[in-house]
Amino acid sequence: MNITMPAKLDVLVVLGSLSDKELAKQMRPVFEEFEIAAHYAVCSAHRDHERLGALVAAAEEAGARAIVAVAGMAAHLPGVCAALSVLPVIGVPGSSGLLGVDALLAIVQMPPGIPVATVGIDAGRNAALLACEIAAVARPEVGAKLKELRATMRLKNREDDAALREALKG
Amino acid sequence: MNITMPAKLDVLVVLGSLSDKELAKQMRPVFEEFEIAAHYAVCSAHRDHERLGALVAAAEEAGARAIVAVAGMAAHLPGVCAALSVLPVIGVPGSSGLLGVDALLAIVQMPPGIPVATVGIDAGRNAALLACEIAAVARPEVGAKLKELRATMRLKNREDDAALREALKG
Amino acid sequence: MNITMPAKLDVLVVLGSLSDKELAKQMRPVFEEFEIAAHYAVCSAHRDHERLGALVAAAEEAGARAIVAVAGMAAHLPGVCAALSVLPVIGVPGSSGLLGVDALLAIVQMPPGIPVATVGIDAGRNAALLACEIAAVARPEVGAKLKELRATMRLKNREDDAALREALKG
Amino acid sequence: MNITMPAKLDVLVVLGSLSDKELAKQMRPVFEEFEIAAHYAVCSAHRDHERLGALVAAAEEAGARAIVAVAGMAAHLPGVCAALSVLPVIGVPGSSGLLGVDALLAIVQMPPGIPVATVGIDAGRNAALLACEIAAVARPEVGAKLKELRATMRLKNREDDAALREALKG
Amino acid sequence: MNITMPAKLDVLVVLGSLSDKELAKQMRPVFEEFEIAAHYAVCSAHRDHERLGALVAAAEEAGARAIVAVAGMAAHLPGVCAALSVLPVIGVPGSSGLLGVDALLAIVQMPPGIPVATVGIDAGRNAALLACEIAAVARPEVGAKLKELRATMRLKNREDDAALREALKG
Amino acid sequence: MNITMPAKLDVLVVLGSLSDKELAKQMRPVFEEFEIAAHYAVCSAHRDHERLGALVAAAEEAGARAIVAVAGMAAHLPGVCAALSVLPVIGVPGSSGLLGVDALLAIVQMPPGIPVATVGIDAGRNAALLACEIAAVARPEVGAKLKELRATMRLKNREDDAALREALKG
Amino acid sequence: MNITMPAKLDVLVVLGSLSDKELAKQMRPVFEEFEIAAHYAVCSAHRDHERLGALVAAAEEAGARAIVAVAGMAAHLPGVCAALSVLPVIGVPGSSGLLGVDALLAIVQMPPGIPVATVGIDAGRNAALLACEIAAVARPEVGAKLKELRATMRLKNREDDAALREALKG
Amino acid sequence: MNITMPAKLDVLVVLGSLSDKELAKQMRPVFEEFEIAAHYAVCSAHRDHERLGALVAAAEEAGARAIVAVAGMAAHLPGVCAALSVLPVIGVPGSSGLLGVDALLAIVQMPPGIPVATVGIDAGRNAALLACEIAAVARPEVGAKLKELRATMRLKNREDDAALREALKG
């Protein structure tokens, strides 16, 4: 199977279905900001298991440090990725089914031996940041940038503090 | 991979883990009563996907009419079986995690195209009976026996009716 | 009671109420694609139990291999069908009540002896495909077509893979 | 079908299965205290629908004012009784499945037109008292006794008040 | 306290808040059809307990056979009515909070001794019909009309059966 | 009604039923440690509303700063106390019903205007500490002691830190 | 850190994020009506813990009697405030995540020793009223006004009673 | 503050309370098998936030690649660790409260910017394995060992397969 991806990869992002693409869109600016090379794929665990294996193998080959897998409802994709690789796999439950509770449980309650690092429902941005934190284990400059982001968030929070009192005056 | 199973098979039963064996024990007397040839296997979707594929292929080859898959928690096994075959797959949620609600949702909320016929939590006996009903599509004598079982259940229900009034006298 | 249905029937589809008709509309193209003869009925278990019995008997008489029953909330219809017949009964929980969780539990948690093959909430298409899989037990040509559908789904998934990377460029 | 019950009946109590008999045992002293004639039956809606119809008809014939139906899991029995009669039907969810939540939803979420008067999970005593309240619509002396019970409960509550302070001294 | 209500009353309907008035509007045509005299009140258990006591007493005085109480969220109103009277109290959970699950549990899980006859979430029509069934214990002509309604519902269900097949043709 | 309680009271503790007495036992050492005068009562909102009114009035008269109310299942007691007084009312959900989720929702989801300060399920100790924090608004020495408790808890946490490493050696 | 707030403060209101500002808007008229001096801040426990400590310390210094903390999803803010102070902390779960159930549980289920007084989901108004009730422990005139509010609410409820009957006429 | 930990650390494990020590015991053999240097601490986010900051800083200083945080109920500890560090934080929900659902939601539903890598309820072993996978990003020999573990698990699964058929013979 012919899989084309960057020769030097940090993170493989796999969506179970194209309908999850908004979550991939949450991730892209994060990976660009942190200079993390990401490959984005749609690959259903149920419909194309063979290609999923090839994708994961190619990502390992290209040096990926983490896999992010997004799925809704009976969300098997993150667990199947975790079974295919010993890279850390980050699972993102989509809210398409029962508010995302079905996907959350189907991702997080993995059997002993095959963990999935689960983030919140529809939390594409957090999944990307967690992938950056993992990549930073090998690339210290990413960690430094993550600390800067925290400072920015703190500053933004302080601006919001002033904005609240403005808003309440109205 | 070397898979040994009956030359003539009606139903493949797969457990995700040996700890689900009580549910297989619920099934055996049903299959014996209805003269349904069953092969029982433990095969984790996450730990041994390749063997699972071989099991399913061997079962199809041996003429199986249905697959029963039992799993708990983030229960992917039934869905993975359903992805591997167009035979009807019956999923049984085990109660090992969150009272079985996690397994139920992880089995029943399948994406379009890959259905799993889900039965109740820990409902091994009902899974076996559903497999018999499906086998009966091709083997009318099984259907006739299933009707007899209904008559027996009705009779038992009537005996229980009398037994209740006895019990209340005490 | 006078029930008119095709002389040669594969599947009986029963809705508890006309308001579930969108789920029947999900099923029709599936049955047409697989050349499965289906009869569609509205019949409430609570309001017209006698006619339900006649429908089920007529369907058995006409050679039906499976029954699909759709209901919401305290969804008794699939279980009542399962009590009336030893044909495999597929239950579809509708989302009209508590996001469909009420219907799901009312359908799947059947007592021992009367199984219902439950599919996902509002999963009309999957119910129809499961009915086809069951019909294929007696009609091998349906199984062959089901395999083709899997190949088509795989192809579509690969097209979506390319489409994702296009969408992320925007 | 031959159904034997008191010639003069106030309440029909139906259990879906003999395993619910403890809930019937909660009811008996209530009915005896209020001189309510009750007939206790085990009759599964799924296994013996025809006998259920006969039971309900016989109870109506014998002057019953209410039906109490107990069931667990996918608890259809109360709803089926409600479909068979325009007598008030009281549904008692048993806790045998998912803590009783499955049975509660399967009993209370009835479609328009066929109400079930649902009481709490395993609340056999409250079901019996509600049946007495309904019987009291036609028999004022039962209402008078119910008021006495309230006074007794109030007194007991006051005794418990003193008992608490005793218990805390220990 | 001055409470004006019909001299001859069958049912008292109490809403916890005016925002539940749509549920009262579901009830009115039912009570009119069955010639059940109903008094509609807004009275919060928390904000006006004294008036609630007066309402209930006046309803008992006027011959009421049942009380219907509607409330959402931490829905105490039905239980407080049940504590104030030995008339059958029908509780209707409103969906204003957590889809109505909060109200359902707050109404149905009553302590021993004070039952509430709970109907489905937002099920104003079913509450009214249950009140009619209870009133029919003393007024047989109401029971006869309830049976007619069942026949009408059956007829409507049969019309819907034909309508479904029309709808699927389109 | 004759209610005997300390002439000088800080907190009224009311249990809906004597079966909740373990939660009162959690509270007593807290109130003793902080020299908070507490009166403990059993009084059901449903069975003895009149006495509850008298208890609350007497507590207000005796200078109470807060009311703690404990109840399980359809837990109305805290809300009824909140309706009877403008003192802060602390609600403690008991776990007797659906793991305490039913009581939690029945206590916390109060309508606008009548708040209940809800603590965790079975959290008698936290309810008592919250009552102390409220009493401290008027009695600064209680606040000082509460700060000491925090220091003690911190110390205990540090001892546990060492204890963990000991335990892991074994 | 430089925190500016009123020299004489009754209540500190902290929002985890500016997106919760509607809940602060519910509070402001309450605090104005009861002449409670409130300071409104946005301060995330996760993004600016240090400033949160300064805010709480400044509020204590300025004489605050209570803290109201609003947060959604994994709502840690109320608990972190409770850890920083022995003032009563009122937690308001926001409905931004899983209908607010996630926030409710993350706020109310505090470990022993650090209580949070939790109010209903999105219940900003009730949080403010509870803060007033606590402030009233030291300021009796607030308590008197709270009683007036109850009378106003009662009056409004009686107006709604008449309004309902008008609405049903239409 | 004086924190003693190994000079060269891979993983910091923090428990909110000593009562979670069984989960730490699940982790120790994993870390020993994979030669991962771990420091085990008890430190409550609510009771000793300052020490938690010191622990996290010391762990970063000692080269830690990941933090594992275990907590039950309103489980804030993992999120607080995630706020204190840009290291990947793995959260383990304990089942001490509502079957662990409360802890799961309080850990996984983090706000944007502060992710927590959540594993299953009571899943100490999986948390440790995920920490090893993250450590392997910088230490390839750990990844090689993780692959061996997968092979061992596969072998064990095959042994269980044979064991099942033995068990069913009995």
Side-chain angles (χ1 to χ4, degrees):
Chain A
M1 199 165 294
N2 190 18
I3 304 282
T4 317
M5 60 173 61
K8 208 91 183 88
L9 189 75
D10 290 302
V11 176
L12 170 65
V13 175
V14 196
L15 314 185
S17 130
L18 188 57
S19 62
D20 297 318
K21 70 170 181 278
E22 291 313 310
L23 294 180
K25 284 183 180 170
Q26 285 181 27
M27 296 178 203
R28 218 175 54 138
V30 176
F31 290 134
E32 287 179 0
E33 182 181 350
F34 289 94
E35 293 176 16
I36 294 290
H39 177 74
Y40 302 89
V42 169
C43 190
S44 160
H46 295 116
R47 280 165 252 172
D48 208 0
H49 186 276
E50 189 189 347
R51 183 165 56 99
L52 188 62
L55 265 169
V56 167
E60 287 182 337
E61 183 73 26
R65 273 99 179 197
I67 297 170
V68 177
V70 179
M73 303 176 70
H76 299 190
L77 183 67
V80 174
C81 290
L84 287 167
S85 174
V86 298
L87 288 177
V89 173
I90 299 167
V92 190
S95 62
S96 52
L98 288 168
L99 306 175
V101 172
D102 44 1
L104 171 57
L105 295 176
I107 292 173
V108 81
Q109 287 284 75
M110 289 295 290
I114 321 266
V116 169
T118 310
V119 296
I121 295 165
D122 286 338
R125 185 174 165 82
N126 267 3
L129 286 166
L130 180 57
C132 294
E133 290 180 358
I134 291 171
V137 170
R139 290 178 48 190
E141 81 282 9
V142 176
K145 279 196 174 180
L146 283 163
K147 281 183 191 158
E148 285 167 31
L149 175 62
R150 297 291 176 92
T152 309
M153 284 164 58
R154 193 176 304 121
L155 196 63
K156 176 64 172 58
N157 200 244
R158 290 177 187 190
E159 289 167 6
D160 284 354
D161 181 49
L164 172 67
R165 284 183 296 274
E166 273 312 301
L168 289 176
K169 278 183 194 160
Chain B
M1 197 165 295
N2 193 18
I3 304 282
T4 316
M5 61 174 62
K8 207 91 183 89
L9 191 73
D10 289 303
V11 177
L12 170 66
V13 175
V14 195
L15 313 185
S17 131
L18 188 56
S19 61
D20 298 317
K21 70 170 179 279
E22 292 311 312
L23 294 180
K25 285 183 180 170
Q26 285 181 28
M27 295 177 205
R28 219 176 50 139
V30 176
F31 290 134
E32 287 179 0
E33 182 181 350
F34 289 93
E35 293 177 16
I36 294 290
H39 177 73
Y40 302 89
V42 170
C43 188
S44 160
H46 295 115
R47 280 165 250 171
D48 208 0
H49 186 276
E50 190 190 348
R51 183 165 56 99
L52 189 61
L55 265 169
V56 167
E60 287 182 337
E61 182 74 25
R65 272 99 179 199
I67 297 171
V68 177
V70 178
M73 302 176 71
H76 299 190
L77 183 65
V80 174
C81 290
L84 286 166
S85 174
V86 297
L87 288 178
V89 173
I90 299 167
V92 190
S95 63
S96 53
L98 288 169
L99 306 175
V101 172
D102 44 0
L104 171 58
L105 295 177
I107 292 174
V108 80
Q109 286 285 73
M110 290 295 291
I114 321 267
V116 169
T118 310
V119 296
I121 296 165
D122 287 339
R125 184 174 166 80
N126 267 2
L129 285 167
L130 181 57
C132 293
E133 290 180 356
I134 292 170
V137 170
R139 289 178 50 192
E141 81 282 7
V142 176
K145 279 195 174 182
L146 282 163
K147 281 184 192 158
E148 285 167 31
L149 175 63
R150 296 291 175 90
T152 310
M153 285 165 57
R154 194 175 303 121
L155 194 64
K156 176 67 171 57
N157 201 245
R158 291 178 186 188
E159 289 167 5
D160 285 354
D161 181 49
L164 172 67
R165 284 183 297 272
E166 271 314 299
L168 289 177
K169 279 183 193 159
Chain C
M1 197 165 295
N2 191 20
I3 303 283
T4 316
M5 60 173 62
K8 207 91 182 90
L9 190 74
D10 290 302
V11 177
L12 170 66
V13 175
V14 195
L15 313 185
S17 128
L18 188 57
S19 61
D20 297 318
K21 71 171 179 277
E22 292 311 312
L23 295 180
K25 284 183 181 170
Q26 284 181 28
M27 295 177 204
R28 218 175 53 139
V30 176
F31 289 134
E32 287 179 359
E33 183 182 350
F34 289 93
E35 293 177 15
I36 294 290
H39 177 74
Y40 302 89
V42 170
C43 189
S44 160
H46 294 115
R47 279 165 251 171
D48 207 0
H49 186 277
E50 190 189 348
R51 183 164 56 99
L52 189 61
L55 266 169
V56 167
E60 287 182 337
E61 183 73 25
R65 273 99 180 198
I67 297 170
V68 176
V70 178
M73 303 176 71
H76 299 190
L77 183 65
V80 174
C81 290
L84 286 166
S85 174
V86 297
L87 287 178
V89 173
I90 298 168
V92 190
S95 64
S96 53
L98 289 168
L99 305 175
V101 172
D102 43 1
L104 171 57
L105 295 176
I107 292 173
V108 79
Q109 286 284 74
M110 289 296 290
I114 321 266
V116 170
T118 310
V119 295
I121 295 165
D122 287 338
R125 185 174 165 80
N126 266 2
L129 285 167
L130 181 56
C132 293
E133 291 180 357
I134 292 171
V137 170
R139 288 177 51 192
E141 81 282 9
V142 176
K145 279 195 175 181
L146 283 163
K147 281 183 193 158
E148 284 167 33
L149 175 63
R150 296 290 175 92
T152 309
M153 285 165 58
R154 193 175 305 119
L155 195 64
K156 176 66 171 56
N157 202 244
R158 289 178 187 189
E159 290 167 5
D160 285 353
D161 181 49
L164 172 67
R165 284 184 296 273
E166 272 313 300
L168 289 176
K169 279 182 192 159
Chain D
M1 198 166 295
N2 191 19
I3 304 281
T4 315
M5 61 172 63
K8 207 92 183 88
L9 189 75
D10 289 303
V11 176
L12 169 67
V13 175
V14 196
L15 313 184
S17 129
L18 188 57
S19 61
D20 297 318
K21 71 171 180 277
E22 291 313 311
L23 295 180
K25 284 184 180 170
Q26 284 181 28
M27 295 177 204
R28 217 174 53 138
V30 176
F31 289 135
E32 287 179 359
E33 182 182 350
F34 289 94
E35 293 176 15
I36 293 290
H39 177 74
Y40 302 89
V42 170
C43 189
S44 161
H46 294 115
R47 280 165 250 171
D48 208 359
H49 187 276
E50 189 190 349
R51 184 165 56 98
L52 189 61
L55 266 169
V56 167
E60 287 182 337
E61 182 74 25
R65 272 98 180 199
I67 297 170
V68 177
V70 178
M73 302 176 70
H76 298 191
L77 183 66
V80 174
C81 290
L84 286 167
S85 173
V86 298
L87 288 178
V89 173
I90 299 167
V92 190
S95 63
S96 53
L98 288 169
L99 305 174
V101 173
D102 44 1
L104 170 58
L105 295 176
I107 292 173
V108 80
Q109 287 284 74
M110 289 296 290
I114 321 267
V116 169
T118 310
V119 296
I121 295 165
D122 286 339
R125 185 173 165 81
N126 267 2
L129 285 166
L130 181 57
C132 293
E133 290 180 357
I134 292 170
V137 170
R139 290 178 48 191
E141 81 282 9
V142 176
K145 280 196 173 181
L146 283 163
K147 281 184 191 155
E148 284 167 32
L149 175 64
R150 297 292 175 92
T152 309
M153 285 164 57
R154 193 175 304 120
L155 195 64
K156 177 65 172 56
N157 200 244
R158 290 177 187 191
E159 289 167 6
D160 285 353
D161 182 48
L164 172 67
R165 284 184 296 273
E166 272 313 300
L168 289 176
K169 277 183 195 159
Chain E
M1 197 164 294
N2 191 18
I3 304 282
T4 316
M5 60 173 63
K8 208 91 184 87
L9 190 73
D10 290 301
V11 177
L12 171 65
V13 175
V14 196
L15 313 185
S17 131
L18 188 57
S19 61
D20 297 318
K21 71 170 179 278
E22 292 312 312
L23 294 180
K25 285 184 180 169
Q26 285 180 26
M27 296 177 204
R28 217 175 54 139
V30 176
F31 290 135
E32 287 180 359
E33 182 181 349
F34 290 92
E35 293 176 17
I36 294 291
H39 177 73
Y40 302 89
V42 170
C43 189
S44 160
H46 294 115
R47 280 164 250 173
D48 208 0
H49 186 277
E50 190 190 348
R51 184 163 57 97
L52 189 61
L55 265 169
V56 167
E60 287 181 337
E61 183 72 25
R65 272 100 180 196
I67 297 171
V68 177
V70 178
M73 302 175 71
H76 299 190
L77 183 66
V80 174
C81 290
L84 286 166
S85 174
V86 298
L87 288 178
V89 173
I90 298 167
V92 190
S95 63
S96 52
L98 288 168
L99 305 176
V101 172
D102 43 1
L104 171 59
L105 295 176
I107 291 173
V108 80
Q109 287 284 75
M110 290 295 291
I114 322 265
V116 170
T118 309
V119 294
I121 295 165
D122 287 338
R125 184 174 166 82
N126 267 2
L129 285 168
L130 181 57
C132 293
E133 290 179 356
I134 292 171
V137 170
R139 288 179 49 192
E141 81 281 10
V142 176
K145 279 195 175 182
L146 283 163
K147 281 182 192 159
E148 285 166 31
L149 175 63
R150 296 291 176 93
T152 309
M153 285 164 58
R154 193 175 305 120
L155 195 63
K156 176 66 170 57
N157 201 244
R158 291 177 186 189
E159 289 167 6
D160 285 354
D161 181 50
L164 172 66
R165 283 183 297 273
E166 272 313 300
L168 289 177
K169 279 182 193 160
Chain F
M1 198 165 295
N2 192 20
I3 304 281
T4 315
M5 59 173 64
K8 208 91 184 88
L9 190 74
D10 290 303
V11 176
L12 170 65
V13 175
V14 195
L15 312 185
S17 130
L18 189 56
S19 61
D20 297 318
K21 70 170 180 277
E22 291 312 311
L23 295 180
K25 284 184 180 170
Q26 284 181 28
M27 296 178 203
R28 219 177 51 140
V30 177
F31 289 134
E32 287 179 359
E33 182 181 350
F34 289 93
E35 294 176 16
I36 294 290
H39 177 73
Y40 302 89
V42 170
C43 189
S44 161
H46 295 115
R47 281 164 250 172
D48 208 0
H49 186 276
E50 190 190 348
R51 183 164 58 98
L52 188 62
L55 265 169
V56 167
E60 287 182 338
E61 183 73 26
R65 272 99 179 200
I67 297 170
V68 177
V70 178
M73 302 174 70
H76 299 191
L77 184 66
V80 174
C81 290
L84 286 167
S85 174
V86 298
L87 288 178
V89 173
I90 299 166
V92 190
S95 62
S96 53
L98 289 169
L99 306 175
V101 173
D102 44 0
L104 170 58
L105 295 177
I107 291 174
V108 80
Q109 286 284 74
M110 289 295 290
I114 321 265
V116 169
T118 310
V119 295
I121 295 165
D122 287 338
R125 184 174 166 81
N126 266 3
L129 285 167
L130 180 57
C132 293
E133 290 180 357
I134 292 171
V137 171
R139 289 178 49 191
E141 81 281 8
V142 176
K145 280 196 173 183
L146 283 163
K147 281 184 190 156
E148 284 167 32
L149 175 62
R150 296 291 175 92
T152 309
M153 285 164 58
R154 193 175 305 120
L155 196 63
K156 175 65 170 58
N157 201 245
R158 290 177 187 189
E159 289 167 6
D160 285 354
D161 181 50
L164 172 67
R165 283 182 297 272
E166 273 312 301
L168 289 177
K169 278 183 194 159
Chain G
M1 198 165 296
N2 191 19
I3 304 282
T4 317
M5 61 173 63
K8 210 91 183 87
L9 190 74
D10 290 303
V11 176
L12 170 65
V13 175
V14 196
L15 313 185
S17 131
L18 189 56
S19 61
D20 297 318
K21 70 169 180 278
E22 292 312 312
L23 294 180
K25 284 185 181 170
Q26 285 181 26
M27 297 178 202
R28 217 175 55 139
V30 176
F31 290 135
E32 287 179 0
E33 182 181 350
F34 289 93
E35 293 176 17
I36 294 290
H39 177 73
Y40 302 88
V42 170
C43 190
S44 160
H46 294 116
R47 280 164 250 172
D48 208 359
H49 187 277
E50 190 189 348
R51 184 165 57 98
L52 188 62
L55 265 169
V56 167
E60 286 182 338
E61 183 73 27
R65 272 99 179 199
I67 297 170
V68 177
V70 178
M73 301 174 72
H76 299 190
L77 184 67
V80 174
C81 290
L84 286 166
S85 173
V86 298
L87 288 177
V89 173
I90 298 166
V92 190
S95 62
S96 53
L98 288 168
L99 306 175
V101 173
D102 44 0
L104 171 58
L105 295 176
I107 291 173
V108 80
Q109 286 285 74
M110 289 295 291
I114 322 266
V116 169
T118 309
V119 295
I121 295 164
D122 287 338
R125 185 174 165 82
N126 267 4
L129 286 167
L130 181 57
C132 293
E133 290 180 356
I134 292 171
V137 170
R139 289 177 49 190
E141 81 281 9
V142 177
K145 279 196 174 181
L146 282 163
K147 281 182 191 156
E148 285 167 31
L149 175 62
R150 296 290 175 94
T152 308
M153 285 164 59
R154 193 175 305 119
L155 196 63
K156 176 65 170 57
N157 201 244
R158 290 178 186 190
E159 290 168 6
D160 285 354
D161 181 48
L164 172 67
R165 283 183 296 273
E166 272 312 301
L168 289 177
K169 278 183 195 160
Chain H
M1 197 165 296
N2 192 18
I3 305 280
T4 316
M5 61 173 63
K8 207 91 183 90
L9 190 73
D10 290 302
V11 177
L12 170 66
V13 176
V14 196
L15 313 185
S17 131
L18 188 57
S19 61
D20 298 319
K21 70 169 180 277
E22 292 312 312
L23 295 181
K25 284 183 180 171
Q26 284 182 27
M27 296 177 203
R28 218 175 53 139
V30 176
F31 290 135
E32 287 179 0
E33 182 181 351
F34 289 93
E35 293 177 17
I36 294 290
H39 177 73
Y40 301 89
V42 170
C43 190
S44 160
H46 295 116
R47 281 164 249 172
D48 208 0
H49 186 276
E50 190 190 348
R51 183 164 57 98
L52 188 61
L55 265 169
V56 167
E60 287 182 337
E61 183 73 27
R65 271 98 179 200
I67 298 170
V68 177
V70 178
M73 300 174 72
H76 299 190
L77 183 66
V80 175
C81 290
L84 286 166
S85 174
V86 298
L87 287 177
V89 173
I90 298 167
V92 190
S95 62
S96 53
L98 289 168
L99 305 175
V101 172
D102 44 0
L104 170 58
L105 295 177
I107 291 173
V108 81
Q109 286 284 74
M110 290 294 291
I114 321 266
V116 169
T118 309
V119 295
I121 295 165
D122 287 339
R125 185 174 165 81
N126 267 3
L129 285 167
L130 180 58
C132 294
E133 290 180 357
I134 292 171
V137 171
R139 288 178 51 192
E141 80 281 9
V142 176
K145 280 197 175 182
L146 283 163
K147 282 183 191 156
E148 285 167 31
L149 175 63
R150 296 291 175 93
T152 309
M153 285 165 56
R154 194 175 304 121
L155 196 62
K156 176 66 171 57
N157 201 245
R158 290 177 187 191
E159 290 167 6
D160 286 353
D161 180 51
L164 172 67
R165 283 182 297 272
E166 272 313 300
L168 289 177
K169 279 182 194 159

